[in-house]
Amino acid sequence: MTEPRWLTDDEREAWLRLMAVTMLLPGRLETQLKRDAGLSHFEYYVLAMISESFERSLALSELAARTNSSLSRLSHVIARLEVQGLLTRCASPSDGRTSIAQLTEAGWAKVVASAPGHVEEVRSVVFDSLTPGQVSQLSEICGSLLGTLDPDHRLLRPS
């Protein structure tokens, strides 16, 4: 049996800071979106991913990959958003076995109305306290971590 590779003091401090950010950031984003848009962060992210896709529609399997969600969880969220009139679900015209989620005009309007407040919250809690150099470092660090966590680029396509 090999010896555990314990964290150095610097690594431990970095790890604890990363854990604190991953614990606190989702709650801040969720609170702002619930308050200002009546959406959970996950619901907003689903709508945003569809809004950025060709013809504002996306196969549910692709949407599940981009949101790191199971099809079951995603189906429940899609159903809630359908009831609100923000999107529709239909069979793919090219492959009837594939379900497609498409933003309605109301869904597009919801994304357009919600985005400024969301971006302001992201700017406020993430970017306002960083220098341009630190933003570049953050991007590079996250890219390295994603290379290990998501080598197939399911969540984020390489730029």
Side-chain angles (χ1 to χ4, degrees), residues 20 28 33 53-54 80 82 88 115 123 127 131 143 148 153 157:
R28 282 289 296 266
L33 283 164
S53 299
F54 178 69
R80 283 197 311 269
E82 268 185 301
T88 59
R123 180 168 294 291
F127 295 107
T131 66
T148 301
H153 308 289
R157 303 287 182 241

Side-chain angles (χ1 to χ4, degrees), residues 34-131:
K34 281 281 194 191
R35 180 189 66 233
D36 297 345
L39 295 169
S40 71
H41 186 245
F42 186 73
E43 290 168 336
Y44 175 80
Y45 196 64
V46 164
L47 294 174
M49 289 297 97
I50 298 169
S51 77
E52 294 175 0
S53 299
F54 178 69
E55 295 184 346
R56 297 185 192 134
S57 65
L58 196 56
L60 292 190
S61 56
E62 176 66 17
L63 185 56
R66 289 190 193 179
T67 60
N68 196 36
S69 176
S70 69
L71 280 172
S72 175
R73 177 184 184 209
L74 184 60
S75 184
H76 289 292
V77 170
I78 296 291
R80 283 197 311 269
L81 296 171
E82 268 185 301
V83 167
Q84 296 173 47
L86 302 177
L87 55 78
T88 59
R89 185 180 357 196
C90 62
S92 168
S94 61
D95 177 3
R97 298 170 298 167
T98 301
S99 292
I100 303 288
Q102 184 163 23
L103 280 186
T104 61
E105 286 303 315
W108 173 245
K110 186 71 154 177
V111 171
V112 169
S114 304
H118 178 63
V119 170
E120 183 55 39
E121 186 71 3
V122 168
R123 180 168 294 291
S124 170
V125 299
V126 177
F127 295 107
D128 284 352
S129 63
L130 301 178
T131 66

